Amino acid sequence: MPINRNTLLRYKTIDRMLRKGRRATLQELIDACSDALYEANGYGDVSRRTIQHDIQEMRYSRELGYYAPIIVVDRKFYKYEDHDYSITDVPLSETDMRQLTEAVELLKQMSSFKGFDDVEDVVNRLEDHVASMRFRVEPVILLEGNDRLRGLEHITPLHDAIIDRNPVAITYKSFQWKQSQQFIFSPYILKEFRNRWFVFGRRHDSPEPMLLNLALDRIEEITDAPKKEHFIKDKSFKPQQYFNDIIGVTRMNDQVEHVVFRVKAAQVPYVITKPLHHSQQEISPSEDGSVLFSIDVIPNFELERDILGFGEGITVVSPKHLAEKLQQRLRDSLQQYENAEE
């Protein structure tokens, strides 16, 4: 029976608490697992019996295959008898290797991340270790990539900082700044949008506890933060909720608006098959083939860009302020062309 996400998160948390000779009481394991689940889901009550069952499963479950050497010392502390043990070091099965190989092939198609050759080399060596054979075939999935995309080298250090809850020192240059700035930053989540990567977190020297959105292609350097700096937690930040009401990565405020727009007949199939937002609803068709749609979102730059990308194919009906703003942007664009002709 497959392990669910929360159970796997508890196993990984217990493993992290016991690795490299560390030891922990049952209550410390309960607290660590509760915190991990709270960070992931927004709730995290874990019972004593649950953690005791997890320890037994990690020790003896044939399905898991961990056979973790967890022992009790001084009748109080749990630890690994083998200081070098970790569940992350458990050998992969042939099925695991095949799935991992397929995942690497897909990731190579999805992105132009440097370092994937090294990952593939690791996969090949693991395959040799389990005496499985890899058959090279032409890719069956081709996704958009960008060989000139900047900032990808920052994904790994930021990912590690998020996992380990470590603040980092970032040198950053916004498009609006004349000079670069360095500041301490606690990262919470990485997000990709339209082949561009962003990291969300807290700037330590900010006078207000504002959530900051940094584009990775504007980061010049990432180094370790001074030891005196501690990671700033924000239990109120729920990524799924934060991005649920917006298109893209820019959240201007918390005011969700009912946006109604008319789509010309030629563009209707595209809007139906690729909705502007998951809340999109079809309101009513017209005799000329156009269709009225609606979405419930917080208006932002990305929404405006998507609508303007359809040119004359989409017209915003409401709210009025959004329609007027788009009209002004179209007038400004037309003025640019008229000036170019002079």
Side-chain angles (χ1 to χ4, degrees), residues 139-192:
V140 296
I141 300 176
L142 288 176
L143 300 177
E144 182 178 356
N146 186 346
D147 293 335
R148 301 182 65 184
L149 196 62
R150 297 176 56 186
L152 298 183
E153 68 275 15
H154 302 313
I155 290 180
T156 296
L158 286 171
H159 174 270
D160 292 345
I162 294 170
I163 295 296
D164 297 332
R165 298 182 186 177
N166 289 329
V168 293
I170 288 182
T171 303
Y172 191 80
K173 190 175 188 305
S174 168
F175 288 124
Q176 288 77 35
W177 299 348
K178 293 182 179 180
Q179 294 182 334
S180 303
Q181 295 184 16
Q182 186 180 64
F183 48 85
I184 307 302
F185 186 76
S186 288
Y188 298 151
I189 192 169
L190 287 158
K191 181 173 175 60
E192 184 269 346

Side-chain angles (χ1 to χ4, degrees), residues 194 267-277 280 306 310:
R194 302 284 169 81
Q267 302 290 346
V268 167
Y270 298 98
V271 175
I272 290 177
T273 55
K274 188 179 180 182
L276 270 66
H277 188 256
Q280 180 172 299
D306 278 3
F310 281 91

